[in-house]
Amino acid sequence: MIPSIHARLRRWRRRLSRSEWLVKLLGLPHIREEQQPGPGLILIQIDGLARPQFERALREKSMPFLQHLLRDEEYNLTTFYSGQPSSTPAVQGELFYGVRTAVPSWGFRRENDEQAVTMMQSEAAAFVQEQLESRSPGLLVDGSAYSDIYTGGAQESHFCASRMGWGDMLKNVRPIKQFFILLIHAFVILRVLGLVVIELAWSVLDLIHGILSRYELLQELINIPARVGVVIAMREIQTRGAMLDIVRGVPIIHLNFLGYDEQAHRRGPSSNFAHWTLKGIDGAIKRIWRTAQRAEDREYKLWVYSDHGQEDVVPYYNENERTVQEAVAAVFDRKWEEDRRRRDRGIQLERAHLLGGRRTKRVFKKLPPPSEIDDLVVAKGPTGHIYAPTKLSATEENRLARALVKDARIPIVMAKDGGRSAKVWTEEGRFSLPEDAAKVLGEDHPLLEAVTQDLIDVVHHAWAGSFLILGWRPNAKPLSFPMENGSHAGPGKNEVQGFALLPREVSIARPPKGYIRPLELRAAAMRLRQFGAHCPIEVSEKPKPTAERTLRIMTYNVHGCVGMDGKLSLDRLVRLIRQYEPDVVALQELDVHRSRSGRIHQAQILAHELEMAFHFHPAMHLEEEQYGDAILTRLPMRLVKAAPIPSPPRVEPRGALWVELSIDGNPVQLINTHFGLGRAERIAQARHLLGPDWLGHPKCTAPAVLCGDFNSMPRSETYRILTTNLSDTRTLNGNGQHRGTFMGLWHLDYILISPDLEASTALVPCTSLARMASDHLPVIADLRLREPKVVLPPSPLELAHPQ
C-alpha cells in the first residue's frame, strides 16, 4: 500500500512540476523509444577544477551535495588525467570523438590555410569538429550539449563554441505562452536575481582587488557583466535546460559549468573568488539530480568530472616587462610594432560570447572579440607554438631554441625529433624525451610517463609549430603567457589532474596507475548506452582478499521487483545487487509466473543476469502462479530443505529455504525466510526454525546463518528468541548499524549468525537507487570463520600446583 501511495504522490508532483509545464508551453517533444527505453546519462563537467582544489572544497563544505554523493550514494573519487594539452578542446575531442590530442593547444595555425585561430572562435571550433566527426561518431548522438567546445554529435546544442547562442528553443513561442513561462518561473527568476545581487557584491570586491593589483579600470568594469553572464546566467540557463531534457527523456546530456574556470583564470585557482562559484555549481548539480530521480521516461545516471585543473601562475609580462610575442619577435629579428604592445588577457571575458544573439552582444558590447593571434607565435595559457617563416636547419633550430630560453626567458622549448621522440631545451641544457622526462618535468611529477608521451604527440601534431613553448617550471611558479593568475594547457602537476566522481557500478577498466583518461570515460559511457543495466563489469572495485576468505551475504525483500515509483524493474535490482558484489543473495517476495509481473520467473531472470545459481521456494501457490523466497549464489550450493513454516489459517502462508554452501571446502548452512505479520505467528515461526526440523537438526552443523525479513523490531519477543543462540551482525565488532530497513524507518530484516562466525562489516545501503528499488533496504554482512581457540594441555607445574 505504501509504495502505491508513494507512486501516486510522485505522479501528482510531476503534473505540478514547472519543468513539465515548460515542456508543454514550449512544445518540446518527448523522446519515445519503440523498445524499453535504456538508461539515460547526465555528464557534468566542472571546468578547470583540479582534484586538490575539489578536495579542498569538500573539506571546507563548499560542495555539500557532491560530498553527499561520496558519503551516501556509493560514488567513488578517481583522478581524471586530461592528456595534453590540458585544455577543454583536447579533452572533449578525446571524450566525445575518441581522438587523443585533437588540437596542439588552445591556439594554433591550421595546416590547410596557415590561418592562426583560437578555439573560442566559432569558425575554428566548427572546423576542428568537422575533422573529428570524419574520424569517429560523437558520444552525444541524440542527446544535448551545453557550453561545450564541440557539440559531440548532439541533436540539440546550446552555447557551444562550434555553434554559439541559445539555439531555437524560444523562436516560435507566442507572447501569451512567454507570459505563462515567466509566471510559473517567478520564484526561479527571483532566486536568480538574488544570486545576481550577491554576485555583483562579490564583483565590487573583485573590482577593488583588481584596481589595487594595477589592472586596467576599464577591463575591471567590463568584467562585472561578463562575470555575471558566465557565472550566473549561463549556469542557470544550462541547469533549467538540462532539467527540461530530463523530463523529455533525452538519452544523454552533457553540461559544462564554466564559472570556476573563469574566476580561476582571473584570480587564481585557490582564490576565494573562484571557490565561491563552487557553491552555486554544487546547488545546480543537486537540482539536476533531483529532477533525474523523478524522471518518468527513463532512469538517469549522473557522472561528474573535471576536464583538467589549473596552476597558480605568474604572467610572463610581469617577469619580463614585455609580451612573449615581442620577446619571440626579437629572437627572430622581426620588428615589433609599438601599437601591438597589447597584453593578452587569455580567454577571460571571451566566454560571454557563447551566449550569442543580438541582445547579448548589446549587453556585452564592450567585450573584446576572441583574441587576435600573431602569425609568428600563438601562445595561450602556459603553452604556445612558434611558426618559423622558413624551414629551419638543425643548426638554426638549435641556435633559435637556445636564444628562446636564454634571451626570451621561456622555461621549456621543444621540437620534434624523429618518429616518437622530441628535443627539449631548458636553462639546464638540451635534453631528449622520453629519456630525460624526469629532468625536464620534475622527478616528483605524478603522471610523468603519460604526460611525456602526450607532449611528444603534441610536438608531432600536424598543426604544431616549429617550436612548442611551455611555461612549466618544476622548481618555481609556472609562467602563463597571457595576463592571468590561473592557467592550464601545459604539463603542470595540478593542471593535468582533474577528478571523476562516478557511481560504484560504473564499468571502467582502470589502469594500475590510479587514474582514468577521457578515452576510458568515453568507453564506459558507450557501454552504458549500448548495454544499459547489462553493462559488463571489467574490473571489480573491491577485489576479494586472498589471505582470508570472507563471505558476503545480502538479504533483501524486493517487493515483487516493484519500486517505490510503482514500476516493475528487475534491471534496477540487478544494478543494486551487483554494486555490492555479494557471494550469496537471499531474496524475499519474488513472483513466478504471476500475471501482475508479466508471467516471468523473477528468480530465474535475476540469477541469469547476476550469473548465479539459484533455488526458489514458493511459499504461496495460486494455481500456476507462485510467490516466495530464493537464494542466489556463485558458490557451490546444495539444497537441503524447502518447506512451509507454521502459519495461521486464512493468512498468507510463509516458508523457509535451507541450503548448504561450500566455502573453500568448508560447509556453511544458510536459511532464508519471511515471517508473518501477527505477533503470535512470528513467535511460533521463530521457535519452529530454532527447533529440531531446522537449526536444531543434526544436519544443520555449525557454522549457520539465518536471514530474511522477520517483520520484527529489535526489542520484540521474536527478536529476543532468535538471538538467544544467534548473534545479530549489526551489533558485532562495533558495527552498530541502526538504520531502518523498511522505508528507512523500522529495522525488520536481519542476518543472524552462529557463534563460530563473526561479522567484520555490516551495512544497510540507503542510496537513492536502494530507496527507489523496493520498500525495504538490503542488509549486507561480511562474515568469516572464527579461528578455533587452541587449548594447551596443563604443564607439570600447573598439575602440581593447581589454582
Side-chain angles (χ1 to χ4, degrees), residues 201 215 556 602 636 728:
Y215 283 93
Y556 195 7
Q602 291 183 340
D728 186 354

Side-chain angles (χ1 to χ4, degrees), residues 12 20 27 55 120 132 210 259 274 322 349 402 427 482 513 540 550 617 647 693 708 730 766 799:
W12 275 104
E20 292 277 1
E55 291 174 339
M120 191 52 69
L132 295 172
R322 59 178 177 173
L349 311 180
R402 290 182 181 277
E427 287 184 347
K513 301 184 179 80
S540 171
T550 301
H617 173 246
S647 300
D693 292 335
R730 296 180 312 130
C766 193
L799 290 173

